[in-house]
Amino acid sequence: MTASASTAPAREARRGTEERLTLTSSEITALAHLYRGEVYRSTIWRTRLDTTTNWAVVTLGVALSISYSSREASPLPLVLVGVLILLFLMLEARRYRYFNVWRARARWMETHFYAPMLYDGDLHMEDEWQKVLSEDYLRPRYHVSMFVALGRRIRRNYLWILLIQSLAYGGKLVVHPTSVESWAQVVARADVGPLPGEVVIGIGVIYVVSWAGIALWSYRHDAALAERRGKKSSSSMG
């Protein structure tokens, strides 16, 4: 009897938690502070993304200045800077995955806490959005893969940086220091040490097409994800 009596309040407490359809004023205040913290963290990581992009732009600008500084300047800096740009791209994609964790949590609270509260005064806790949020805090994880992060950063910034680099390299071969008169001259100018110009140009084409393909795949992936979320409520963040 004693054991049964002691477990009854516990069962009632669990039942009350499961059937709870609102939050207390203290819990709402705590959630508001939590939202401010997530927005702050996402802002910090957003700034770090801009910093990486600035590094890529500056290094490309330096390579452009060197390659076009004189008639005898080599186009090789425009090739080598591609390695640095890819390094910055990988670093930025990694930073984006961290940024997306804070952004997804803030956005989740906006759409499931603030928007319903402002729209009709009902938090709709029967949808169990609060459990999804708590699970993300209990078991933190990335909400996007590295491949998706790469595609998104290419679409936002790096595709244009890579295209400018490629056009500058092509322009250096075609018009600098003098205009070419045949394709053979373009190939000859593209020679890099023991590598023939055909190989260097071929690698450059694969270089641009590969990143453009990742950007296109990422666009279709995000479009399909947005379409699924538009048809029914999502049970996950990211």
Side-chain angles (χ1 to χ4, degrees):
M1 291 295 293
T2 304
S4 176
S6 63
T7 56
R11 287 198 299 267
E12 291 297 328
R14 287 196 298 269
R15 187 180 300 112
T17 301
E18 293 170 356
E19 296 175 354
R20 187 176 63 174
L21 298 178
T22 186
L23 296 173
T24 66
S25 59
S26 298
E27 290 170 334
I28 291 176
T29 301
L31 195 58
H33 286 295
L34 180 63
Y35 171 74
R36 291 177 58 191
E38 296 298 348
V39 170
Y40 174 76
R41 288 198 286 187
S42 65
T43 302
I44 293 299
W45 280 89
R46 183 68 182 84
T47 303
R48 297 189 71 183
L49 293 179
D50 293 338
T51 301
T52 316
T53 303
N54 291 340
W55 291 346
V57 172
V58 168
T59 53
L60 178 58
V62 172
L64 285 170
S65 300
I66 295 174
S67 295
Y68 284 88
S69 60
S70 66
R71 296 171 61 90
E72 295 77 19
S74 170
L76 185 59
L78 289 171
V79 177
L80 298 179
V81 77
V83 179
L84 281 177
I85 291 176
L86 294 184
L87 173 63
F88 294 143
L89 174 58
M90 298 298 293
L91 179 60
E92 186 163 328
R94 178 177 175 273
R95 290 181 173 182
Y96 178 83
R97 298 183 76 193
Y98 281 98
F99 158 77
N100 189 67
V101 172
W102 323 129
R103 182 209 62 82
R105 290 174 179 173
R107 183 59 180 162
W108 188 263
M109 285 185 272
E110 288 171 354
T111 56
H112 293 86
F113 175 69
Y114 285 103
M117 181 173 58
L118 293 172
Y119 188 76
D120 55 14
D122 188 350
L123 297 180
H124 298 287
M125 296 185 66
E126 68 277 3
D127 294 336
E128 298 187 344
W129 59 267
Q130 72 280 5
K131 293 185 178 180
V132 175
L133 183 61
S134 64
E135 284 293 325
D136 193 67
Y137 280 108
L138 289 172
R139 296 182 253 307
R141 62 181 180 84
Y142 292 120
H143 299 296
V144 294
S145 66
M146 187 66 175
F147 207 62
V148 171
L150 278 172
R152 289 181 180 179
R153 300 320 297 162
I154 292 172
R155 279 164 41 206
R156 295 294 187 270
N157 295 318
Y158 281 81
L159 184 60
W160 304 108
I161 295 175
L162 296 171
L163 287 176
I164 292 173
Q165 176 199 5
S166 302
L167 290 175
Y169 178 73
K172 174 68 177 179
L173 297 181
V174 173
V175 302
H176 201 267
T178 59
S179 299
V180 297
E181 298 178 356
S182 65
W183 174 250
Q185 285 184 306
V186 176
V187 173
R189 290 182 180 182
D191 291 344
V192 177
L195 288 178
E198 294 91 340
V199 174
V200 177
I201 294 175
I203 293 174
V205 172
I206 296 174
Y207 173 79
V208 175
V209 172
S210 298
W211 298 118
I214 294 176
L216 180 60
W217 173 86
S218 174
Y219 173 78
R220 292 181 175 178
H221 173 273
D222 289 346
L225 186 61
E227 185 178 358
R228 289 197 302 271
R229 287 177 176 170
K231 291 180 180 178
K232 60 180 180 180
S233 61
S234 176
S235 61
S236 62
M237 293 185 287

